[in-house]
Amino acid sequence: MDTKFSSAIHTLILISEADREMNSEQLAASVGTNPSYIRKLTAKLSKAGIIESRRGISGMHLAKAAKDITLFEIYSVVTDTPSLHLFDLHQNPNDACIVGHNIRPVLGGMFRDMEAGVERELRNMTLADCIGNMRNYIEKNARN
C-alpha cells in the first residue's frame, strides 16, 4: 500500500503547526521515515506551490493558507495523478464464463462511481480540516 498521501498530510500538518520551520530530518523523525523520502515529497509539494523553502535556509512553510489546500490537491500532487484511482480490476477473466465475460464492465463502472464519490469528498476537505481534527483529538485525549 502506498503511504505517500498520508505521509504528505502528516508532513504538511507538522510544517503548519510547528513553532519553527522544520527541515527534512526533523520531519522524517516525526513521520517515521527517512529524510530522502521526505525530500522527495516536499519537492513535489514545493513544485505545486503548496510549501516554500528558501535556498540556504533550513526549513519549510506553507505557501498558502491551510484552508485553501484540499486533500485532493495533496493526493494528486504526491501520486502524480490527475484523478483518484483506488481499485484495479484483475486482468485475465475467462470470457467463456458468463461472470468472467461481464465482470470487467460491471465492476469497472461501479469502481469509477465509488472513486468519483471519494474524489468529491477529498475536494471538499482541506488541510485546515485535518489540523482542526488533530487539535480536537489531542484536546479530547488530554482530558482522559
Side-chain angles (χ1 to χ4, degrees):
M1 173 158 293
D2 190 336
T3 61
K4 286 183 270 208
F5 183 46
S6 64
S7 296
I9 294 170
H10 182 141
T11 299
L12 290 169
I13 292 173
L14 195 52
I15 288 170
S16 172
E17 298 302 290
D19 56 0
R20 58 182 162 60
E21 290 188 357
M22 301 182 78
N23 62 35
S24 58
E25 289 80 17
Q26 295 162 320
L27 293 165
S30 178
V31 174
T33 190
N34 62 62
S36 66
Y37 181 76
I38 294 298
R39 284 191 289 275
K40 288 176 188 172
L41 281 179
T42 56
K44 289 180 179 189
L45 295 166
S46 179
K47 184 176 179 184
I50 295 174
I51 61 172
E52 292 178 331
S53 60
R54 294 179 299 270
R55 280 206 187 276
I57 300 175
S58 181
M60 297 158 242
H61 60 274
L62 295 182
K64 54 187 180 178
K67 69 179 181 52
D68 297 326
I69 303 169
T70 70
L71 296 189
F72 182 75
E73 180 181 9
I74 298 166
Y75 173 87
S76 63
V77 166
V78 299
T79 61
D80 295 316
T81 58
S83 61
L84 185 83
H85 180 74
L86 299 174
F87 308 111
D88 287 320
L89 292 166
H90 52 295
Q91 298 299 310
N92 300 306
N94 183 348
D95 275 342
C97 169
I98 191 161
V99 175
H101 181 74
N102 294 292
I103 195 72
R104 292 180 63 79
V106 170
L107 284 182
M110 293 172 70
F111 288 176
R112 278 189 299 279
D113 290 346
M114 288 184 275
E115 288 170 342
V118 172
E119 185 173 318
R120 275 191 303 277
E121 291 292 320
L122 291 175
R123 288 182 183 278
N124 289 320
M125 294 178 186
T126 67
L127 182 61
D129 294 326
C130 293
I131 292 167
N133 289 343
M134 176 74 67
R135 288 176 180 161
N136 290 340
Y137 184 82
I138 291 168
E139 182 180 316
K140 176 183 166 191
N141 286 296
R143 287 185 241 142
N144 294 335

